[in-house]
Amino acid sequence: MIYDISLPLESGGIVFPGDPEFKRHWEHRLEKGDRTNLSRLDFGAHTGTHIDAPLHMLPDGSDVTAYANDALVGPARVISISDDKAVTVSELRSKAIGGIKRLLIKTRNSTLWSQKAFSKDFVYLEPAAAQFLGELGVSLMGFDYLSIEKYGSAGFPAHLSLMYRKIVILEGIDLSQVPEGDYILFCGALRLPGGEGSPARAMLADGASLKEWKLFNSK
C-alpha cells in the first residue's frame, strides 16, 4: 500500500490564519482557442503539506536546499498520540522511539482536514517534546497540522528547538488513513535557493509494497 499523506492544493483549502490562500489563474485555455491549457499558481510557501527551513524563523538560518536528501527519504515510523491537547515527553517516551530518524506524529488533528475552516484548537508539540526529539537524534519530524506550535503562543519555542538542531519540520500531513507502524517515507521539497519553506509531496510505502518491489531479494 502506498499512502499519499499530502494535502491537495486547491482553492478553498485550509491555510494558517494570515497566510495567502491558494489561487490558480489560467493564462491559456484550449476552450478559448489557445494551443494549450497553462495556469499560474499563487500561494504561500507554507501552504498545505510543506517543509519549514531554519530561514523561516532564523535570520541566518539555512534554506530548504540545505537539507540532506537522505533526511527526506528513508525508513520512517508513524506513532499515534492519544493526548487531545499536546504531544508530551511522557507519551513520546512510552512509544520507544529511540533510534528512529524519521518520525511522523499522528494526532486527532488528522480528523480536522475534513473541516473547511482552520481550527485553532489543534494538538500541538510541547517545546519540551521538541527538545526530547532533538536529544533522540531525530532527523525529520512530521506533524498532522499546519503548525507544530500552540496557536497564539509567544514566540516559536518548538520550531526553534528543532531548527537549531537542523531537524526537518514537515507540517500539514494527513495521517487519517495511516496505521501506526514502520514505512518508507518518500518526501520532496521544491529546489528553491533562498527558500524559507517549500510545498512538499509526501508518501509512505508499507512492507507489502517493499516485498512487491522485491527490493531486497538476492540474485
Side-chain angles (χ1 to χ4, degrees), residues 46 50-62 64 67 125 130-131 134 138-139 141 148-149 156-171 196-197:
H46 303 265
H50 66 276
I51 288 173
D52 285 354
L55 185 59
H56 185 34
M57 295 174 180
L58 300 174
D60 298 321
S62 54
V64 291
Y67 285 129
L125 182 70
Q131 181 177 345
V138 170
S139 60
M141 195 282 301
I148 62 174
E149 215 74 55
F156 306 98
H159 278 88
L160 294 176
S161 183
L162 299 177
M163 287 176 172
Y164 279 125
R165 293 176 169 85
K166 306 294 193 252
I167 297 171
V168 179
I169 302 173
L170 173 62
E171 295 175 322
E196 89 296 342

Side-chain angles (χ1 to χ4, degrees), residues 53-107:
L55 185 59
H56 185 34
M57 295 174 180
L58 300 174
D60 298 321
S62 54
D63 66 17
V64 291
T65 67
Y67 285 129
N69 292 332
D70 60 4
L72 300 170
V73 177
R77 179 169 296 175
V78 174
I79 61 170
S80 292
I81 295 296
S82 61
D83 193 307
D84 66 354
K85 295 296 183 183
V87 180
T88 64
V89 173
S90 60
E91 192 160 9
L92 288 177
R93 287 187 188 279
S94 72
K95 296 295 181 177
I97 53 176
I100 299 299
K101 293 299 182 182
R102 301 165 198 85
L103 182 69
L104 308 183
I105 299 178
K106 179 179 181 179
T107 71

Side-chain angles (χ1 to χ4, degrees), residues 123-142:
V123 179
Y124 60 92
L125 182 70
E126 286 191 343
Q131 181 177 345
F132 177 68
L133 293 177
E135 293 169 353
L136 287 180
V138 170
S139 60
L140 177 145
M141 195 282 301

